Amino acid sequence: MADSICRTIRDGALEGEHAPSLTIKDTTASPYGFGVFTHVLSQASTLILAGKSQSRGLVVVAYSRSPSFYLDFLKRSGVDVASSQKWIHILDCYTDPLGWKHQLADSGILPSNSSAGACLFQDVKDINKLQSLILELGSGLVGQGKVRFSVAIDSVTEMLRHVPLSKVAALISDLRSHDQISSIFWLLHSDIHDVRVTTSLEYLSSMVASVESLNQSSDGLSGDLGNLSLLEQNFRRGKFHVRFKRRNGRVRVMNEQFHMEESGIKFTSVTVEDGLVSQGLVPKVLFNLELSEKEKLERARVVLPFEHQGNGKPIQIYDGRRSLAPESMGEVSADTSQSSTEECSNGGGEIIYFRDSDDERPDSDEDPDDDLDI
Amino acid sequence: MAATKTRTSSFSRNLPAASSAQSPEIKCGPNGTFFVSSGIPDLDKTLGGGIPLGSLVMVMEDSEAPHHMLLLRNFMSQGLVHKQPLLYASPSKDPRGFLGTLPSPSSPKDDKSRSHDAEQEKGLRIAWQYKKYFDNKQDFSNEFDLRRPLDRHFYTTQHVDCISTHDLPNLAPLQERCTSFLSHFPRSDSNIVCTGRIAIQSLCAPQCENSSMEWEMLSFIRALKSTVRSANAVAIITFPSSLVSPSFCKRWQHLADCLVSVKAIPDEDKELAKLLTGYQDIVGFLNIHKVSRINTQVPAVLEATTLSIKLQKRRYLVLECLNQAPIDGSGGTSYGTSGSCSGSSSKSGSLNF
């Protein structure tokens, strides 16, 4: 649930442990990961400003949106941005990531302009520089001591365009084990990458939130164009699935539904849980002591070949040549009589059956071995 | 379990018989092998006595749970308690820091879980000359208290080597260190003087630069396996199996002498709570896929391949067979594990040997 995520981020890291880290992932079928990211961002900002969270500052590494977008968004969400220099720093990797504009400005082609309230970063391929800048900005916000700050990475997908996976993973794991980092969260578009990238980032995170579409088909067009309005409605909704890794090694799985609106994203809880996960974990045992309902019904319906059915009808002896359907049994019982020696329409074969248990004389003291002549 | 029957055939090796009496950390096993304890008495029992000397144990991690760390910690602590030299490699920048988190052996007076032994002793009066056999039996494998850290003198005075794999551009330095470490424990026909342990944590962790060099890692594991086999040592490698590409994952699994995997379990899962007794105490599952068979072609058939990992009183690691209600019995082989815990993205880690 989104609240639990925000609470975990608020609580932050314990001494000697890795900081909690969140991966938000989405796909083109349900591209609302950014909505979740901004939701978490605004929640974290509110908590930082109110002083309720462990972290006292926030560094946003912005790849896919400009810093002014974030400031506007926070203002719209009711967060006080007037004092923003005190608690938030936005590292601008959006305006000029590779330094081209800077080069063009140097040669006089483009006018140079600088954005206020953000730190321009022009060298995204240098991950060490990025890391030291993040730490510098963070400690600039919170000071050197034991106070911690949080880091939000706008889009790890963008980061991976410039830097190989092992370096990104190294950055994240270094940040997680740093003393001054309280929590870290990032967004990933999982269908763009190899499975390996997604699993590596999930390996490094303590919470994985995935945004999925309501209908399972890979594209929204399931061929039923008549239902277009329903499809469109459903497109703005989706499933929000979170996996928390707890300290004791168990995994907490939570499901919610979300609804994307003008003002942002709204979460509602979902009551249906599926218990299919557990079936795969426990090894299947090869015997079954219980009958399902269907099996019980079937058992009751089996016609025992040589015994009465317990329903008051005379004993019918099934000689294997008649059908087992109940209505034809009814007819057959009318035809055949008690003694099976009467000729039947099927041609004269008969079965004479004596139960073995009828042979037993209950109080016999005879020792069957007495019959042997030795 | 196959190890409980000791068959004396005409093809038995001439073992130096005195070796088992002199060092409690080594136990004689069948077929001329010697066992070393894994640090977890339940696991030793399931594996047939312990880990045979010269074998390579591989642990497949679950990326959602740190249970492989429990296995590693117990393994390393057992080695240190028995004064066996240790080589530890990890992807963190300061591997030595990890040594401070190793558990200490639990002292008998805290250890209520072994109370049944104490009850036996009340009824029996053991003649003094036989007491030494009881003491020896205890020393082979210790119970570790995960809440008490190991005394510092265990790892500061003796030979403990740590390497960080984080910044290694390739695995050649790691391989050199392993080879030079293992050269101290050559195998010969005389008594075993000392045994060594190697523990490599998270070999393919994504933050290491060398994690994408899959062929290199494969040849490293193969070289390590052959060097360990001809030395008086045991090596444990843990690796996150979901991060290795499937064909390489299968190759690594085949290289292992002993293969186990750990799995996380979902929290507050009503289905599992119905299926398993003691669900509240279980923190994960341990699956044993392969058991080391050295000097023999007889396969080991285990009573149970899936054990539950429990932390008794949050201190003692206990592995138990699952007590479960019989469920729908279609299919299921004795070595198969069905899908993994990460249900939503349907990554199935099914192994079929």
Side-chain angles (χ1 to χ4, degrees):
Chain A
M1 302 219 292
D3 296 337
S4 315
I5 294 179
C6 297
R7 255 180 276 140
T8 316
I9 293 199
R10 174 198 73 191
D11 293 338
L14 286 185
E15 196 67 47
E17 275 193 9
H18 287 305
S21 44
L22 167 68
T23 299
I24 302 169
K25 58 178 193 176
D26 68 359
T27 59
T28 39
S30 182
Y32 298 114
F34 192 71
V36 178
F37 177 81
T38 46
H39 175 83
V40 176
L41 186 69
S42 65
Q43 294 286 325
S45 310
T46 323
L47 289 168
I48 290 173
L49 269 184
K52 286 190 188 156
S53 74
Q54 188 199 44
S55 93
R56 290 272 177 257
L58 180 61
V59 175
V60 181
V61 184
Y63 279 91
S64 63
R65 299 283 193 283
S66 70
S68 47
F69 169 85
Y70 284 112
L71 293 172
D72 286 340
F73 170 77
L74 288 173
K75 210 187 318 192
R76 269 181 292 135
S77 323
V79 177
D80 172 26
V81 288
S83 59
S84 63
Q85 292 93 305
K86 296 208 197 109
W87 58 273
I88 187 169
H89 249 303
I90 304 180
L91 193 54
D92 182 4
C93 304
Y94 167 82
T95 317
D96 195 13
L98 295 166
W100 293 345
K101 286 187 189 164
H102 183 76
Q103 286 174 14
L104 289 172
D106 274 351
S107 46
I109 298 175
L110 273 188
S112 64
N113 51 354
S114 55
S115 47
C119 177
L120 192 63
F121 189 65
Q122 291 171 328
D123 207 359
V124 288
K125 288 197 198 277
D126 188 346
I127 200 90
N128 294 329
K129 204 161 141 193
L130 179 68
Q131 183 172 337
S132 49
L133 198 53
I134 292 176
L135 293 173
E136 212 183 283
L137 288 176
S139 33
L141 285 175
V142 299
Q144 276 301 323
K146 288 216 164 212
V147 189
R148 297 176 184 247
F149 63 96
S150 299
V151 179
I153 301 179
D154 178 305
S155 172
V156 171
T157 302
E158 296 267 352
M159 204 190 254
L160 284 165
R161 286 169 62 189
H162 305 290
V163 177
L165 173 64
S166 58
K167 294 220 160 80
V168 173
L171 167 76
I172 290 179
S173 76
D174 286 344
L175 286 179
R176 280 188 82 194
S177 40
H178 197 270
D179 291 335
Q180 279 197 298
I181 303 267
S182 161
S183 56
I184 168 170
F185 56 99
W186 61 85
L187 173 63
L188 176 75
H189 302 299
S190 55
D191 47 358
I192 299 181
H193 302 288
D194 282 342
V195 174
R196 181 137 195 252
V197 170
T198 320
T199 46
S200 301
L201 289 171
E202 286 178 9
Y203 176 81
L204 292 169
S205 49
S206 57
M207 295 178 276
V208 178
S210 42
V211 174
E212 292 155 10
S213 61
L214 275 183
N215 42 346
Q216 287 299 357
S217 57
S218 55
D219 53 339
L221 309 165
S222 48
D224 191 4
L225 288 181
N227 245 342
L228 204 53
S229 62
L230 186 63
L231 277 176
E232 208 182 284
Q233 240 182 33
N234 276 346
F235 191 61
R236 296 201 153 267
R237 293 175 207 272
K239 290 191 279 205
F240 186 61
H241 178 80
V242 187
R243 302 182 72 89
F244 293 87
K245 295 183 199 174
R246 296 187 60 204
R247 283 195 185 96
N248 60 7
R250 288 184 169 196
V251 175
R252 193 145 203 207
V253 174
M254 288 175 150
N255 280 302
E256 267 189 332
Q257 277 206 348
F258 72 87
H259 183 59
M260 197 72 201
E261 286 171 2
E262 283 291 330
S263 52
I265 194 165
K266 299 266 182 306
F267 295 97
T268 50
S269 63
V270 115
T271 46
V272 177
E273 304 255 336
D274 68 47
L276 293 175
V277 178
S278 56
Q279 293 293 333
L281 285 175
V282 178
K284 292 196 188 312
V285 179
L286 288 175
F287 53 93
N288 188 6
L289 290 180
E290 296 189 345
L291 296 173
S292 66
E293 276 307 312
K294 184 164 160 267
E295 286 168 334
K296 284 182 187 149
L297 281 173
E298 293 284 327
R299 182 173 71 173
R301 270 197 293 177
V302 166
V303 176
L304 299 169
F306 302 121
E307 297 293 322
H308 61 85
Q309 304 300 306
N311 48 10
K313 291 197 188 134
I315 297 175
Q316 294 144 15
I317 293 171
Y318 174 61
D319 59 5
R321 278 174 273 178
R322 298 189 193 126
S323 71
L324 281 177
E327 54 281 4
S328 60
M329 275 308 226
E331 288 165 5
V332 166
S333 68
D335 284 337
T336 59
S337 64
Q338 290 263 355
S339 76
S340 47
T341 51
E342 210 182 273
E343 269 189 75
C344 312
S345 51
N346 56 9
E350 55 205 41
I351 296 171
I352 302 169
Y353 177 64
F354 298 109
R355 278 175 93 172
D356 286 342
S357 52
D358 290 346
D359 266 351
E360 281 171 10
R361 284 167 288 249
D363 291 327
S364 164
D365 291 325
E366 279 177 21
D367 184 356
D369 290 340
D370 289 346
D371 290 342
L372 298 173
D373 285 336
I374 300 174
Chain B
M1 287 165 271
T4 51
K5 282 198 302 179
T6 47
R7 301 168 86 211
T8 49
S9 67
S10 47
F11 301 107
S12 55
R13 226 178 232 208
N14 277 338
L15 292 173
S19 64
S20 55
Q22 73 187 6
S23 40
E25 70 251 23
I26 306 173
K27 196 161 76 170
C28 262
N31 311 311
T33 53
F34 290 96
F35 285 130
V36 174
S37 171
S38 61
I40 307 166
D42 294 323
L43 186 61
D44 286 342
K45 203 167 64 163
T46 316
L47 292 177
I51 307 178
L53 269 187
S55 53
L56 175 68
V57 181
M58 294 192 71
V59 180
M60 295 171 48
E61 301 172 23
D62 186 339
S63 53
E64 296 188 310
H67 301 313
H68 58 280
M69 302 302 286
L70 290 172
L71 300 181
L72 264 183
R73 282 199 179 99
N74 280 280
F75 177 77
M76 287 165 67
S77 284
Q78 184 73 77
L80 292 176
V81 162
H82 282 158
K83 301 195 180 17
Q84 292 167 334
L86 175 69
L87 176 66
Y88 171 59
S90 108
S92 79
K93 294 200 163 154
D94 178 32
R96 245 182 207 266
F98 181 67
L99 298 176
T101 64
L102 294 180
S104 166
S106 65
S107 50
K109 64 173 165 57
D110 310 317
D111 194 357
K112 300 252 171 53
S113 67
R114 293 283 177 242
S115 61
H116 59 272
D117 280 348
E119 281 165 28
Q120 276 177 10
E121 291 219 19
K122 270 199 296 205
L124 295 173
R125 284 183 314 133
I126 299 168
W128 62 270
Q129 68 256 43
Y130 296 118
K131 283 220 189 246
K132 63 177 186 229
Y133 294 116
F134 284 95
D135 286 339
N136 267 351
K137 222 165 103 121
Q138 281 295 86
D139 272 350
F140 173 70
S141 155
N142 294 76
E143 279 265 322
F144 287 96
D145 183 346
L146 292 163
R147 283 198 164 176
R148 270 186 19 203
L150 195 59
D151 288 335
R152 289 182 58 91
H153 72 89
F154 277 112
Y155 49 89
T156 45
T157 51
Q158 68 187 29
H159 187 44
V160 177
D161 222 354
C162 296
I163 318 168
S164 165
T165 52
H166 191 277
D167 296 317
L168 294 182
N170 55 37
L171 287 171
L174 182 61
Q175 187 164 334
E176 276 166 32
R177 291 282 279 276
C178 289
T179 318
S180 59
F181 178 79
L182 290 170
S183 59
H184 297 302
F185 316 105
R187 195 171 276 211
S188 59
D189 282 334
S190 59
N191 289 351
I192 299 175
V193 175
C194 64
T195 53
R197 295 185 183 223
I198 295 183
I200 300 179
Q201 180 199 327
S202 299
L203 184 60
C204 187
Q207 58 260 38
C208 302
E209 253 182 75
N210 47 56
S211 58
S212 50
M213 303 170 152
E214 298 190 302
W215 283 111
E216 269 223 24
M217 286 196 281
L218 189 66
S219 58
F220 164 73
I221 296 174
R222 201 181 70 72
L224 181 66
K225 174 180 172 148
S226 52
T227 329
V228 164
R229 184 63 74 94
S230 52
N232 284 329
V234 171
I236 255 194
I237 300 183
T238 74
F239 67 100
S241 54
S242 51
L243 299 186
V244 188
S245 63
S247 60
F248 279 94
C249 193
K250 274 283 186 293
R251 289 181 168 108
W252 290 24
Q253 288 165 24
H254 279 297
L255 276 180
D257 289 319
C258 177
L259 180 68
V260 299
S261 68
V262 285
K263 273 206 178 25
I265 57 170
D267 201 19
E268 290 175 22
D269 185 325
K270 297 186 187 61
E271 290 284 328
L272 264 186
K274 273 193 287 186
L275 280 177
L276 300 170
T277 56
Y279 168 74
Q280 294 84 343
D281 303 319
I282 300 179
V283 293
F285 291 136
L286 179 85
N287 281 310
I288 303 178
H289 301 288
K290 233 204 231 184
V291 175
S292 293
R293 304 300 285 161
I294 298 182
N295 296 341
T296 175
Q297 295 289 357
V298 178
V301 177
L302 303 177
E303 271 179 11
T305 54
T306 306
L307 303 173
S308 61
I309 304 176
K310 287 190 183 179
L311 285 179
Q312 243 179 17
K313 298 182 203 162
R314 294 197 221 151
R315 296 180 123 183
Y316 307 113
L317 181 64
V318 164
L319 299 175
E320 284 181 0
C321 286
L322 295 180
N323 286 326
Q324 55 174 102
I327 51 175
D328 173 22
S330 49
T333 65
S334 62
Y335 270 65
T337 59
S338 6
S340 67
C341 190
S342 43
S344 66
S345 51
S346 64
K347 294 191 289 270
S348 60
S350 69
L351 291 177
N352 269 315
F353 270 70

